[in-house]
Amino acid sequence: MKKHNFNSGPSILPATVIAQAAAALHDFDGIGLSILEIGHRTDWFVAVIEEAKLLVKQLMQLNDDYEVLFLHGGATTQFMQIPMNFLAPGETAAYCDNGIWGNKAIQEAGYFGNVHVAASSKDKNHTYIPKNLSLPEKANYLHITTNNTVEGTQWHEIPPTHLPLVADMSSDIFSRPMDFKQFSFIYAGAQKNMGAAGVTLVVIKKEWAASIQKQVPPIMCYQKHIEAKSLMNTPPVFAIYVALLTLRWIIAEGGLTEMERRSRQKADLLYQTIDSLPIFITSIAKEDRSLMNAVFFMKEEALLQPFLKTCTDNGMIGVKGYRTVGGLRVSMYNALPLESVQVFCQLAQNFAHKHC
Ligand code: PMP
């Protein structure tokens, strides 16, 4: 049976990327060795990582003021590493509190300095994006999570700020064109829109990294990673190769404008269906709905398990909501074809017909 992969991450990748990655496991680029067998300082791998950096900059339309790094430790390590580099005792950083992941980032920052919460949606269970920020005159940076993977909300317009802007884009990276120059720091775990788990993308304004005065252990220090060109220690070679293949795919398919067009088409269809069927409810503010992760609930809790079973029986994977939220979550990352959303919507309509 054909599977429809709505996993929230790791999640669906383009079939061509999987095929190319599988081929490279046997023979990378015709050199007679597996991608798993080549050293990270060989010309072969240096060509991979340099092309990947170039394509990231190309997609983001960034110049040499920025450096692209491929690091270990997932986005979660960045929650800690950012304040470790950019925040000292007695200093303040501003954070938007819009969901579980942003909250974890706030907690990590608290180990290093003061946190000013610039906006919070906690009063309504993180079901909206609070757009009026209260920013202190002086703070080292402002941190936002551009897409709240668990709650299903997304910043459709990035808030203006006089502070260096830091963004966790783990779940909507490369899904839409943006003025990426407004950010001083962008990070994302690769395992949603950018490839396999195991590598974290960091895009950093070189000037900001160079301004770090703090003593930071080298492996945690961005400036040292920049100097070492992401090769301070052995990087996740295979995950970086899969990221390169995914970046090539995004560009070949038409780039960020096309990714956004497809995302809107999928999300419009899905949200229209949810809104039209009396079996579902959702409390997310309409204007803040995520194009990547749709979060909704069954009106009658008793129908949740039967609906999930129907999904599984029909090859639909990953539609169960996050463990602390419950309900349903349909993730529609770049590689998810429109057809999967169409099949899901048809199944939801049939289910509603039977149970109403
Ligand atoms: N930030 C966001 C927005 C996420 O969705 C996730 C993971 N789903 C994380 C951070 C944590 O990422 P990782 O597991 O790579 O540490």
Side-chain angles (χ1 to χ4, degrees), residues 128-184:
Y128 70 105
I129 295 287
K131 294 164 198 86
N132 292 324
L133 271 49
S134 91
L135 291 173
E137 190 60 32
K138 206 165 169 292
N140 293 16
Y141 58 86
L142 167 69
H143 179 283
I144 65 167
T145 312
T146 51
N147 183 71
N148 296 292
T149 329
V150 171
E151 295 79 7
T153 61
Q154 188 173 20
W155 288 86
H156 293 298
E157 286 196 17
I158 304 301
T161 175
H162 61 286
L163 301 173
L165 186 56
V166 175
D168 175 359
M169 294 195 187
S170 291
S171 52
D172 64 351
I173 188 93
F174 300 131
S175 66
R176 52 180 168 165
M178 237 189 224
D179 175 14
F180 291 96
K181 288 189 285 300
Q182 67 193 298
F183 301 95
S184 293

Side-chain angles (χ1 to χ4, degrees), residues 17-35:
V17 167
I18 304 271
Q20 289 164 351
L25 285 176
H26 295 285
D27 185 359
F28 169 67
D29 252 7
I31 66 171
L33 296 171
S34 164
I35 180 76

Side-chain angles (χ1 to χ4, degrees), residues 24-52:
L25 285 176
H26 295 285
D27 185 359
F28 169 67
D29 252 7
I31 66 171
L33 296 171
S34 164
I35 180 76
L36 302 180
E37 298 176 308
I38 59 170
H40 58 289
R41 297 188 199 279
T42 58
D43 289 347
W44 297 313
F45 182 69
V46 169
V48 166
I49 194 166
E50 288 305 319
E51 185 186 343

